[in-house]
Each structure stands twice: as C-alpha cells, then as structure tokens.
Amino acid sequence: MTRRLLLSYLALALLVLAGLEIPLGYIYARGEIARASQSVERDASMLAEVTEENIEKGQFDALPDVVGDYATRTGGHVVVTDEQGVVLADSGPDGRTGISLAAEADIARALNNQPTVTTTTDGDGRDVLSATMPGSSGTTIRGTLRLTYPLDQVGTRVHRIWGALALAGACILAVVALVAFSLARWITRPLRTLETATTQLADGHLAHPPDATTGPPELRRLAASFTRTAARLQLLLRSQQAFASEASHQLKTPLTALRLRLENFEPYLDPRAHGSLDEAVGEVERLGRMVQGLLALARLENAATTPEPVDLDAVLADRVAMWEPLAAEQYVALGISGPPAGHVWAIPGALEQIIDNLLANALRVSPPSTTIALHRGPGSELHIVDQGPGMSDADRERAFDRFWRSSDSHHDGTGLGLPIVRHLVDASGGTITLHPAPGTGLDARIRLRPATARANQVQPGGEDFGSRRTRSRRTQATGRG
C-alpha cells in the first residue's frame, strides 16, 4: 500500500508539473522565436538604411565591409542587391556578386517596396529567420537587403530552458517523493501493525496488538476496535477451550458409572430383558464415543496450527503397518500402490488421523477376502478405495455433515468421523471428495499441496522435514456418514 500511495502522489505531482511546465516551455519557445524575429527585422531595417545610403553615394566598395562586420559579430548572413536585383555584396564565404536575384520572391517584393519577414531554410538545409528589406528613400528603390539568421542559437536557448524546466521538475519530484514516502509510511504504519496482529490472531495468539497511537484518526480507531474485538475473541476461545477440557473429564465419569450400573442389573433381570440391556449398554457406549468425537472436533476447531511439510509415503507406510493386524483379523488385505508422493503440506498429526479414520470406516464395511487399496495418484493425490457396499449420490453429498449417518447403516458410528477428516484436510490446505469405486465400494480422494520445494531443507537439529515421525496413534473410529 505504501508503494501505491507513493506512486499516486508522484503521478499527481507529475501531472501538475506537466500542466505547468509544458505550457511554460512552449510559451518561452514561442517568445524566443518572436524576439529573434523582431531582432532580425530591426537589424535588417538598419542595415538597409546604411547600405541604401552607400548605394546612393556610389560607395559600393564600403558595402562588403558593412555586411562582413555585421556577419562576423552576429553570425547572420547578409546579401545586398541594387535596384535591379543584382548582388552587390554577400557576407557568405562563398558569396558571389554580380548575379541577379530578382526572380526570388522576397527580393521581388522588396523591389516593390514590400518588406518580408519569414522562417525558411537556407542552401544547407538549416532553418533560418529571413528578413528582406527595401533600401529606399521615399518611393525611390535603390536596392534591397536580405538578412538571414540561423535558428540554431534560438534552438539552443530553447533547449536550455527545457532542460532547466526538466531539472526543476525532477528536483520537485524528488522532494515530493521524499515527503510522499514519509506521509505514506505514516498512513500505513497502523495498517502494517494491524496486518501483523491479524496474522498472529489467525495463528491463535495475539502477542502484539496493533498500534493505535499513530497514523490518521480513522486508522487509529480501526486499530483500537480490532484490539477490542481480538481480546473478545480470545476470551471466547479460551472459554470454549476450557469448557471442552472440563467437559471431557466431567462427562466420562457419569457415562462410565451409568454403563457399570446397567451391567450390574444383568443378574437381576429376566433373561428375556437381556437383549434390551445389551442395547442400552451399546447406546451408552455410542454416547461415550460421540462425546469423545465432539470434544475432539472442538479441540481441532479451536487449534490454529500452521501446515508444515510431511512425508506422505512414510506416514502411509506407518499407518498401514499399524492397521494390518486388525485387517487380517477380518480377512481384509491392505495394499499401497502408485508412485511415491513425496512431501505434502499438512498440520502436525493430521495425516495420521485422516488415514486412521478412513481406514477404520473402510474396514467396518469391507467384507472378508477383499482388499482396501491405498493408491497414490499424480499431484499428491491419495485414494483410499474399499470394496464395500458403497454410497449413493445423495449419501455422498451429505457424508461430511455432522451426526449424519446413512439410512441403511448397520454400524454404530457417531457421524463425526468424516467431519473430523474434512476439517483436518481443509486446515492442511487440501480437499477431500467421495466417489464411487469401480464395481462396488467407495473411493475417498484426498488432494494435498505438494511441498517438494522445501522437502530437502534441514532443521537445526539435523533431521529434515520429511523424516520427522509424528507420534503414531490409533484414533477411535467414529463411523462413516
């Protein structure tokens, strides 16, 4: 924003300078040409009087000295003719006398007692100011005088003033840039501190509140309002975290006690009521898992964790090795395929929980003698494909809703497993979608951002990002849908 403000100030100053200096330079150039034209006309008139007097007295030998002296002093070119238009004197180095110029327009007009002042080009192609005056006494024409003056000197003076105007404009722009930079920094200082504070708040802790003492009044009020809002949000988050922590302890004890009491009823109940008792115990167990899932989801939503590079291949091999014994008990095989995926961005511990939840769901619905395929696709994509009954289009659309379970579900899931998985994937900057598998079953596709650019960077302790093995843990499966 500082750069944009600085550029806007400079653009405005440049526009003002252009609006002032360009007309000023143009007016000065026109004035220089007009002054030069008047000077040439005046000098031509005076020289015409002097040469006319010499012609009248017959002092033709004095004409070369008169025109030569003037040409030497001013750099002009003087040509004098008699009343017939024949050249009597020429100040040029190769000037020729005795030739007739009566056919030239300005000389012909001067012979008719009509002066001419114009801008033209000489024999060398240079722009010159030309003044042709009749040498006359009353109506008697005794000769003419043509004075040409090169515009090079006028152009030099014009260019000099244009250079001076450009230099002055550059100095003004430099001063404007210095003042504008200071002003822009003063304006944006609260915004910079506000940006830093916003980043800290997004990471979960506001260590440095934005500066509310400098900058424009509007930005100071904005910084103060943000500080109050951030303090309020932090208080609410701490309260929610404290509630989740306390509820996890307070709810475990009564649920465990309720289950024990129900189980203690078994010896005193009629055998026909044992089925209902088992169902009640199962519901208590499911309620306990649901409470655990809600608390886990609340902790995930409250945690603000920055993604870091994680070796997907290492985590995948570790989790498959963890789940293979349980899968073997159900006569289900686990297989990894596809080229190595390398490092991906994920929040710490997220990949383990994602794979654990999806494998638990897949095992729950996989019939014996089937295989759960973990296929690594292009673009850091992971497919977890089972051979279970699959899900309909409508069920797949609602599968990530909290507490939702398929109407034909026969398992005791809580409907929180997939929402937890989606939250972890989103927090890691990836996406997850459900698709029908070839034949039967479900294909859970996870796409994460590759982190190959930083995969080989080594931490100060000597191990790279990919070699860190996050603590393995097997999470309680909470059900598909």
Side-chain angles (χ1 to χ4, degrees):
M1 184 173 180
T2 301
R3 183 172 63 254
R4 289 193 292 271
L5 285 175
L6 180 60
L7 291 177
S8 63
Y9 293 148
L10 289 178
L12 180 61
L14 185 62
L15 183 62
V16 172
L17 287 174
L20 293 176
E21 291 191 351
I22 291 178
L24 179 62
Y26 180 74
I27 292 173
Y28 178 83
R30 292 289 300 273
E32 280 294 316
I33 295 175
R35 284 191 292 272
S37 178
Q38 293 173 0
S39 176
V40 169
E41 183 178 3
R42 183 179 62 251
D43 292 352
S45 297
M46 291 187 298
L47 285 174
E49 293 177 2
V50 172
T51 56
E52 187 270 336
E53 183 179 354
N54 290 331
I55 293 174
E56 182 181 7
K57 294 178 180 180
Q59 299 175 352
F60 298 103
D61 294 340
L63 293 177
D65 294 334
V66 173
V67 299
D69 179 65
Y70 179 83
T72 302
R73 287 187 294 105
T74 63
H77 181 210
V78 183
V79 176
V80 180
T81 70
D82 59 12
E83 69 275 8
Q84 302 298 324
V86 178
V87 177
L88 299 176
D90 189 342
S91 65
D94 56 348
R96 293 175 297 173
T97 58
I99 62 174
S100 176
L101 302 179
E104 298 186 8
D106 58 334
I107 298 296
R109 288 173 59 85
L111 292 175
N112 290 324
N113 204 17
Q114 296 178 357
T116 302
V117 179
T118 184
T119 302
T120 183
T121 56
D122 61 7
D124 298 331
R126 298 180 303 172
D127 292 333
V128 295
L129 283 172
S130 176
T132 305
M133 299 294 175
S136 61
S137 297
T139 58
T140 303
I141 305 298
R142 294 187 173 86
T144 64
L145 182 137
R146 176 197 286 168
L147 171 60
T148 57
Y149 186 80
L151 287 175
D152 295 345
Q153 298 184 16
V154 178
T156 300
R157 290 196 297 271
V158 171
H159 292 159
R160 188 180 299 116
I161 192 62
W162 277 113
L165 289 174
L167 180 61
C171 294
I172 293 174
L173 283 178
V175 174
V176 170
L178 182 61
V179 175
F181 180 76
S182 302
L183 182 60
R185 294 282 294 180
W186 175 74
I187 291 175
T188 59
R189 185 178 296 113
L191 293 179
R192 293 193 300 272
T193 60
L194 189 61
E195 180 184 10
T196 302
T198 304
T199 303
Q200 293 176 356
L201 184 62
D203 291 336
H205 180 64
L206 182 60
H208 304 287
D211 186 7
T213 60
T214 59
E218 297 82 1
L219 293 180
R220 292 201 299 267
R221 290 194 296 269
L222 176 62
S225 176
F226 175 85
T227 301
R228 291 194 300 270
T229 303
R232 178 64 176 168
L233 286 176
Q234 287 185 305
L235 178 61
L236 293 175
L237 287 175
R238 284 195 297 267
S239 300
Q240 186 176 359
Q241 291 171 355
F243 169 77
S245 177
E246 293 172 2
S248 63
H249 293 287
Q250 297 298 326
L251 290 174
K252 287 180 182 179
T253 301
L255 288 175
T256 302
L258 178 59
R259 177 182 174 181
L260 291 175
R261 289 180 180 274
L262 290 174
E263 291 177 347
N264 290 335
F265 285 154
E266 185 175 3
Y268 307 101
L269 292 178
D270 188 279
R272 292 173 296 178
H274 286 176
S276 298
L277 178 62
D278 292 339
E279 293 178 359
V281 172
E283 289 298 319
V284 172
E285 291 178 350
R286 194 172 74 85
L287 180 60
R289 290 195 300 272
M290 184 179 295
V291 169
Q292 292 296 329
L294 284 173
L295 294 176
L297 192 57
R299 284 191 294 268
L300 287 174
E301 291 176 345
N302 292 335
T305 308
T306 302
E308 63 182 29
V310 179
D311 191 342
L312 175 60
D313 302 311
V315 173
L316 192 61
D318 178 71
R319 303 323 296 163
V320 168
M322 180 71 183
W323 281 91
E324 275 183 339
L326 181 59
E329 293 178 1
Q330 302 181 25
Y331 303 100
V332 176
L334 302 180
I336 301 177
S337 61
H343 291 73
V344 296
W345 290 102
I347 62 176
L351 274 180
E352 290 85 349
Q353 295 186 58
I354 292 169
I355 296 174
D356 284 346
N357 275 278
L358 293 177
L359 284 178
N361 287 340
L363 277 175
R364 184 174 291 110
V365 298
S366 295
S369 302
T370 59
T371 299
I372 298 177
L374 295 93
H375 177 72
R376 293 167 296 198
S380 300
E381 190 172 83
L382 175 63
H383 298 249
I384 298 181
V385 184
D386 61 59
Q387 294 178 286
M391 301 175 68
S392 64
D393 294 341
D395 287 349
R396 288 197 304 273
E397 290 180 1
R398 298 196 57 191
F400 294 104
D401 295 344
R402 296 183 184 183
F403 303 111
W404 182 86
R405 292 192 300 164
S406 176
S407 57
D408 58 353
S409 176
H410 300 294
H411 54 77
D412 55 354
T414 61
L416 291 174
L418 288 179
I420 291 176
V421 169
R422 185 169 198 172
H423 182 84
L424 291 171
V425 173
D426 290 344
S428 300
T431 58
I432 179 172
T433 54
L434 301 178
H435 302 270
T440 61
L442 189 68
D443 179 6
R445 299 180 186 177
I446 307 163
R447 182 181 292 275
L448 298 171
R449 296 177 298 158
T452 53
R454 295 183 57 186
N456 296 324
Q457 294 184 3
V458 178
Q459 292 282 43
E463 65 179 35
D464 67 23
F465 285 111
S467 63
R468 291 183 303 179
R469 300 295 298 273
T470 310
R471 179 174 55 92
S472 296
R473 58 186 180 185
R474 178 178 174 182
T475 57
Q476 176 68 34
T478 54
R480 172 181 295 173

